[in-house]
């Protein structure tokens, strides 16, 4: 019995250790002089395996609480993305979660979070494939998500420049993989127009040149892809008749439709008579 008692493991359901870990991460982030010192101290914290997301979520939360965006948090997040692939995956997952629940954030928090992820994209801390979750259509966006996308792309254009940003969005590998099909939709004309109007309204109309060309050439593409209508084949038929003075008359007619084999047949009629009354008969 003593051995069984010694082998028993006690699980703390109060999550005291998790709360202490979050407190330690928060105090380390807020007390550091710069992002290099914060990164060095945070790397010394023994984070249990599987709890790396606590670090990423705390960085995002601290960033969102500021009145204005502070680049310190972006550089700190970038450092951890470079150090370990696990933290990069955590920030990718956090990006998806933040975008799905963006309607819960206030405008100020939304702005800070958008600028944080824009800095990670500019520095390649996270891959640009994360933008694949965005669909800029009237049905798939809300006012909050449109503000998030607006700030994100305006920040990207400010850091990279409109020309270089357009090059990144038009990379052959990214286009072939379909990373930005939701951002620049070409499935329906109304979705294409909505995306064009959205980027034009936020001052990034230069990103929509390809969509404008696609929309302009759409009628020609539809006409070329439309199969030609099958030529209608005319019905064929023949008839003949004969008549003689001796009192006989015959008539025959046959017809056929090459498109429908069921529409074919023949018809014949004959009539004979004699001059004597009441001797007329039909066949």
């Amino acid at each position: 019995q003593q051995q069984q008692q010694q082998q028993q493991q006690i699980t703390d359901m109060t999550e005291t250790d998790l709360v202490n870990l979050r407190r330690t991460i928060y105090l380390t982030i807020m007390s550091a002089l710069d992002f290099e010192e914060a990164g060095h101290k945070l790397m010394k914290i023994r984070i249990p395996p599987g709890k790396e997301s606590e670090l990423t979520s705390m960085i995002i939360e601290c960033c969102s609480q500021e009145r204005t965006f502070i680049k310190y948090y972006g550089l700190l997040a970038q450092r951890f993305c470079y150090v370990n692939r696990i933290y990069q995956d955590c920030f990718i997952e956090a990006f998806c979660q933040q975008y799905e629940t963006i309607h819960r954030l206030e405008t100020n928090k939304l702005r800070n979070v958008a600028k944080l992820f824009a800095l990670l994209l500019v520095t390649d801390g996270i891959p640009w494939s994360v933008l694949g979750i965005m669909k800029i259509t009237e049905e798939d966006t809300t006012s909050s998500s449109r503000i998030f996308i607006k700030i994100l792309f305006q920040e990207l254009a400010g850091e990279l420049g409109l020309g270089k940003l357009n090059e990144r969005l038009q990379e052959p590998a990214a286009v072939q993989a379909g990373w930005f099909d939701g951002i620049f939709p070409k499935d329906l004309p109304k979705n294409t127009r909505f995306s064009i109007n959205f980027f034009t309204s936020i001052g990034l109309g230069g990103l929509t040149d390809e969509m404008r060309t696609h929309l302009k050439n759409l009628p020609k593409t539809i006409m070329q892809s439309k199969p030609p209508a099958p030529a209608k084949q005319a019905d064929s038929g023949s008839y003949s008749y004969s008549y003689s003075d001796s009192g006989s008359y015959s008539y025959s007619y046959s017809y056929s439709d090459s498109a429908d084999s069921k529409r074919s047949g023949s018809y014949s009629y004959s009539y004979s008579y004699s001059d004597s009354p009441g001797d007329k008969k039909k066949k």
Side-chain angles (χ1 to χ4, degrees):
Q1 292 180 353
Q2 292 180 356
Q3 292 179 355
Q4 291 179 357
Q5 291 178 357
Q6 292 177 358
Q7 292 176 357
Q8 288 180 354
Q9 294 182 355
I10 299 175
T11 303
D12 185 8
M13 301 300 293
T14 60
E15 295 185 346
T16 304
D17 294 337
L18 184 60
V19 173
N20 292 332
L21 176 63
R22 291 173 178 172
R23 183 186 297 111
T24 303
I25 294 173
Y26 174 77
L27 293 176
T28 304
I29 292 174
M30 302 305 295
S31 62
L33 295 176
D34 55 14
F35 75 95
E36 293 181 350
E37 179 185 346
H40 182 72
K41 290 182 178 180
L42 289 172
M43 290 298 295
K44 290 184 177 181
I45 298 176
R46 295 182 179 179
I47 299 177
K51 298 297 182 181
E52 293 84 4
S53 59
E54 297 296 333
L55 174 61
T56 58
S57 61
M58 186 58 67
I59 294 175
I60 297 172
E61 183 65 24
C62 292
C63 178
S64 66
Q65 296 295 334
E66 299 290 345
R67 292 186 177 180
T68 59
F69 174 70
I70 300 177
K71 203 171 183 180
Y72 161 80
Y73 299 103
L75 297 174
L76 181 60
Q78 172 198 346
R79 174 61 59 88
F80 277 94
C81 288
Y82 288 169
V83 168
N84 197 328
R85 177 64 183 271
I86 296 177
Y87 292 109
Q88 185 185 50
D89 294 337
C90 290
F91 275 107
I92 293 173
E93 184 179 356
F95 179 87
C96 299
Q97 291 177 352
Q98 290 291 332
Y99 183 74
E100 293 294 334
T101 60
I102 202 66
H103 58 278
R104 301 178 185 176
L105 297 181
E106 301 174 359
T107 305
N108 188 62
K109 293 182 178 180
L110 187 151
R111 181 182 295 106
N112 290 343
V113 172
K115 290 185 177 182
L116 171 68
F117 284 112
L119 193 148
L120 289 179
L121 288 171
V122 169
T123 58
D124 290 323
I126 57 177
W128 287 60
S129 58
V130 297
L131 300 178
I133 66 171
M134 295 181 177
K135 293 183 178 180
I136 303 181
T137 63
E138 188 174 2
E139 294 80 9
D140 297 319
T141 57
T142 62
S143 58
S144 299
S145 62
R146 286 193 287 270
I147 294 173
F148 179 82
I149 297 172
K150 169 188 173 182
I151 297 173
L152 180 70
F153 274 88
Q154 285 180 341
E155 195 71 14
L156 290 174
E159 293 290 336
L160 297 175
L162 188 61
K164 191 172 181 180
L165 174 60
N166 203 6
E167 291 178 3
R168 291 295 300 267
L169 296 174
Q170 299 298 331
E171 288 182 355
V175 173
Q176 186 176 3
W179 292 353
F180 314 124
D181 289 349
I183 299 176
F184 306 116
K186 297 179 183 178
D187 52 349
L188 296 174
K190 68 171 186 177
N191 294 339
T192 306
R193 294 189 188 97
F194 184 85
S195 180
I196 292 174
N197 295 335
F198 172 77
F199 281 106
T200 304
S201 65
I202 65 175
L204 299 177
L207 301 178
T208 64
D209 293 341
E210 187 175 352
M211 283 194 296
R212 294 176 187 273
T213 304
H214 168 76
L215 200 62
K216 183 179 180 181
N217 297 332
L218 189 61
K220 298 179 181 179
T221 306
I222 294 176
M223 292 300 296
Q224 292 176 358
S225 61
K226 187 177 180 180
K232 185 178 180 180
Q233 298 180 355
D235 297 342
S236 60
S238 61
Y239 66 92
S240 63
Y241 68 92
S242 61
Y243 173 77
S244 63
D245 294 337
S246 60
S248 64
Y249 173 79
S250 64
Y251 173 82
S252 64
Y253 173 75
S254 63
Y255 63 93
S256 63
D257 188 353
S258 58
D260 189 357
S261 59
K262 294 182 179 180
R263 296 182 57 189
S264 61
S266 61
Y267 172 77
S268 62
Y269 175 78
S270 63
Y271 178 76
S272 62
Y273 64 93
S274 61
D275 292 338
S276 58
D279 197 24
K280 294 182 179 180
K281 60 180 180 179
K282 293 183 180 179
K283 295 184 181 179

